[in-house]
Amino acid sequence: MSRPRVVIVGAGFAGYETARTLSRLTRNKADIVLLNPTDYFLYLPLLPQVAAGVLEPRRVTVSLTGTLPHVRLVLGEADGIDLEARTVHYTDPEGDGGTLSYDRLVLAVGSVNKLLPVPGVAEHAHGFRGLPEALYLRDHVTRQIELAAATDDFKNCASRCTFVVVGAGYTGTEVAAQGQLFTDQLVRKQPLREGMRPRWLLLDIAPRVLPELDERLSSTADRVLRERGVDVRTGTSVEEATSTGVRLSDGEFVDTRTLVWCVGVRPDPLVAGVGRPMERGRLLVDPYLQVPGHPQVFACGDAAAVPDLEKPGEYTAMTAQHAWRHGKVAGHNVAASFGVGTRRVYRHRDLGFVVDLGGVKAAANPLGIPLSGPLAGVVARGYHLAAMPGNRVRVAADWLLDAVLPRQGVQLGLVRSWSVPLESASPELARVAGGPEKRAAAAGGDGSPADSGAGGPGGSGAVRVPRAKASAVRDPGNRPVPEPDALAARDPDAPRAPAPGRPAGPAAGGPAGGGSARPAGAAPGSPASRGPAESVGLDPDEPAAPGPVRPAEGES
């Protein structure tokens, strides 16, 4: 008798923990398949430290094949689900399609950058949901400081040294806090004009930073940021973004080359095509994390609306803390459906949060006890080391080295502005010249799979969900974007198009991976998991995109 097959879509906090729990419980009694765009789990809470040069990128990535025994990894992005046929269609990193059949399905696709209808933001801002975006921001900030130090023009220097972060939740607060320390270190080696220093602005329409947390944590974070020199502006939003700066809701125009978008997240658009009841873009499930009417389908993490039994009538928040624990319950319940153990409802009460503010500063409230300063810093880092499923020694070593050695302020040039558009359903993957999107467009499509099947509330028929529609991108002067070879002639670091007769894709410069995730204990993909700067047109020193790269998608 063949073993039942479980397909888990997504290896973020929820998907990773589901696979790990299920592998431990079933002990080879089930065929576990994990479908994910990258071969690693990304520990999102530490991503701001990657952008600030504290941690090397691989420290926050945990190998899926190395830490999930008895789990088969399939690289690809799910773009179609047929509930009646019990199949998942996906596209692999080289643009080829495939289909996975299942006996049990776990949807843990997570979340993506949340977009707002603000003019210019999609063109001139970058999010902060994946490793490519963090690497890009690290290079970009370093480059702006280097260019500012070399110019004699005061206005140009001030513009390049001004960094705007929109959204004062977990991600935005930590990006601004870490960023200010990073740029202060950079200018020690490359002094700016006399009397000038890097300027970081943190904006939020809310009345205080970290509005979702206890007021004592919020006031601690606000005080640390202001003492460090961060310009915190609450009750303020962005009305327009341009290639030279942003216009604020109070009418002020801020000259800047950097706009980091950290306003929050929204569920991955894949779940909208499943054809089942939704709650504000999230797939409705019962307390056992099962999709009503389809007991063989489970959903967890940011993309699932899970009833909060501690707060009747509400749903659990989109945080890593919940996503991690969703995954554990989902693993138990999937195993129980095969007769291994008993199923359980999801019930969890938050035990506190931590916000790392860089250096020795942090804000934390473990078990409701408010902490600040070095003690909170120890608690925050101790929590992250305990929560990470791997790389603990390497992370601790990087923290130790950062405490005694200066950071390396160099550009690696691995991720270009056009390769990490804000409007992306896949922030874990960087766009590449000659990649699947370009080949799909050249074949006569728009880079998204064709619709097939009715879908509908009954879930009949195959549902194919476009992950990203490609649209032509033009440079600041509205000139047509150059083809890869033309770009390479201008920029030796740009990816080159494959030679005739050779396949495009990884062989010609495959995607620089990123990973979607959401951690334990702090908001996800976001919050202690968490919670998001310049794009084509915002930095004239970067080449424009070599092909159709910017997807357009509506907000759920």
Side-chain angles (χ1 to χ4, degrees):
M1 182 177 179
S2 62
R3 296 183 301 171
R5 172 180 285 186
V6 181
V7 174
I8 303 170
V9 183
F13 284 96
Y16 181 89
E17 185 60 18
T18 298
R20 185 165 67 168
T21 301
L22 198 55
S23 173
R24 175 174 54 85
L25 294 175
T26 59
R27 298 181 183 277
N28 285 323
K29 294 179 181 178
D31 179 17
I32 306 171
V33 179
L34 181 59
L35 176 64
N36 196 60
T38 66
D39 62 357
Y40 59 80
F41 159 76
L42 176 66
Y43 191 75
L44 262 171
L46 295 181
L47 205 56
Q49 296 191 28
V50 173
V54 177
L55 296 177
E56 288 304 307
R58 285 187 297 176
R59 305 297 187 253
V60 298
T61 62
V62 178
S63 169
L64 297 177
T65 55
T67 58
L68 295 177
H70 315 304
V71 174
R72 180 164 66 93
L73 172 65
V74 175
L75 287 178
E77 295 183 80
D79 52 37
I81 298 173
D82 190 330
L83 297 180
E84 297 305 316
R86 297 192 181 187
T87 59
V88 176
H89 185 275
Y90 67 93
T91 303
D92 72 17
E94 296 187 351
D96 298 321
T99 301
L100 295 171
S101 60
Y102 64 83
D103 296 294
R104 299 292 186 273
L105 173 66
V106 181
L107 293 173
V109 290
S111 53
V112 298
N113 292 315
K114 182 179 181 180
L115 304 180
L116 296 178
V118 179
V121 163
E123 294 78 21
H124 304 300
H126 281 291
F128 202 80
R129 292 286 302 153
L131 193 57
E133 292 169 320
L135 292 175
Y136 166 74
L137 182 59
R138 180 171 166 176
D139 271 6
H140 170 73
V141 169
T142 302
R143 180 171 61 255
Q144 296 310 307
I145 294 297
E146 291 171 347
L147 292 174
T151 184
D152 293 326
D153 183 271
F154 179 86
K155 184 176 181 180
N156 186 24
C157 181
S159 174
R160 293 188 181 280
C161 287
T162 300
F163 308 92
V164 178
V165 180
V166 184
Y170 282 98
T171 304
T173 298
E174 292 194 354
V175 167
Q178 297 280 359
Q180 183 73 65
L181 291 179
F182 182 43
T183 52
D184 283 350
Q185 287 201 18
L186 290 177
V187 297
R188 292 193 187 109
K189 298 290 185 179
Q190 301 178 92
L192 303 175
R193 293 170 60 93
E194 185 176 353
M196 183 174 291
R197 66 169 296 196
R199 176 193 182 199
W200 284 78
L201 276 74
L202 179 61
L203 315 175
D204 202 302
I205 195 64
R208 59 187 176 91
V209 300
L210 299 171
E212 66 271 39
L213 298 187
D214 178 272
E215 286 195 25
R216 286 173 291 188
L217 287 183
S218 175
S219 61
T220 297
D222 185 274
R223 174 174 49 80
V224 171
L225 290 172
R226 294 181 187 275
E227 289 176 351
R228 198 169 285 170
V230 176
D231 186 354
V232 180
R233 301 193 188 186
T234 56
T236 305
S237 61
V238 172
E239 289 194 341
E240 181 184 12
T242 71
S243 61
T244 58
V246 294
R247 188 173 304 282
L248 308 183
S249 56
D250 59 8
E252 180 184 355
F253 186 86
V254 178
D255 292 317
T256 181
R257 304 294 182 92
T258 309
L259 179 59
V260 192
W261 195 251
C262 306
V263 298
V265 296
R266 60 192 177 96
D268 190 298
L270 176 72
V271 296
V274 174
R276 303 308 301 162
M278 309 287 289
E279 169 64 28
R280 302 185 67 178
R282 303 164 75 187
L283 187 62
L284 274 171
V285 297
D286 63 22
Y288 297 96
L289 308 184
Q290 290 175 293
V291 175
H294 292 271
Q296 76 280 2
V297 180
F298 298 76
C300 52
D302 289 1
V306 180
D308 191 339
L309 300 184
E310 297 293 330
K311 302 175 182 177
E314 298 184 21
Y315 299 93
T316 58
M318 295 170 65
T319 69
Q321 190 170 113
H322 281 300
W324 194 256
R325 290 161 178 80
H326 285 176
K328 183 168 293 187
V329 171
H332 277 279
N333 291 347
V334 171
S337 71
F338 297 138
V340 180
T342 58
R343 67 177 189 160
R344 58 182 68 174
V345 298
Y346 179 74
R347 186 189 298 272
H348 172 68
R349 180 174 297 169
D350 291 331
L351 301 179
F353 296 91
V354 296
V355 182
D356 194 321
L357 300 174
V360 298
K361 299 295 183 67
N365 63 346
L367 301 176
I369 303 173
L371 301 175
S372 61
L375 180 58
V378 171
V379 170
R381 294 197 169 185
Y383 167 77
H384 289 312
L385 287 179
M388 289 191 72
N391 294 349
R392 295 186 182 95
V393 174
R394 290 183 171 91
V395 168
D398 273 8
W399 283 339
L400 177 61
L401 290 174
D402 183 67
V404 298
L405 297 176
R407 296 181 198 175
Q408 293 178 296
V410 296
Q411 302 178 54
L412 300 179
L414 299 177
V415 182
R416 296 293 185 177
S417 172
W418 54 264
S419 65
V420 282
L422 180 63
E423 294 179 286
S424 173
S426 304
E428 64 271 20
L429 294 176
R431 308 263 167 165
V432 295
E437 303 90 354
K438 186 175 182 65
R439 295 201 302 277
D446 61 0
S448 60
D451 294 334
S452 65
S460 61
V463 179
R464 194 65 55 79
V465 181
R467 306 273 302 187
K469 292 184 179 180
S471 62
V473 178
R474 304 178 76 86
D475 71 7
N478 201 35
R479 298 184 299 274
V481 172
E483 288 302 306
D485 286 337
L487 176 64
R490 274 187 358 209
D491 181 1
D493 297 322
R496 296 178 183 271
R502 290 178 53 194
S516 86
R518 296 104 204 159
S526 159
S529 108
R530 308 68 202 342
E534 147 218 298
S535 151
V536 174
L538 194 57
D539 185 358
D541 299 299
E542 277 219 16
V549 296
R550 177 154 288 118
E553 55 189 48
E555 183 174 357
S556 58

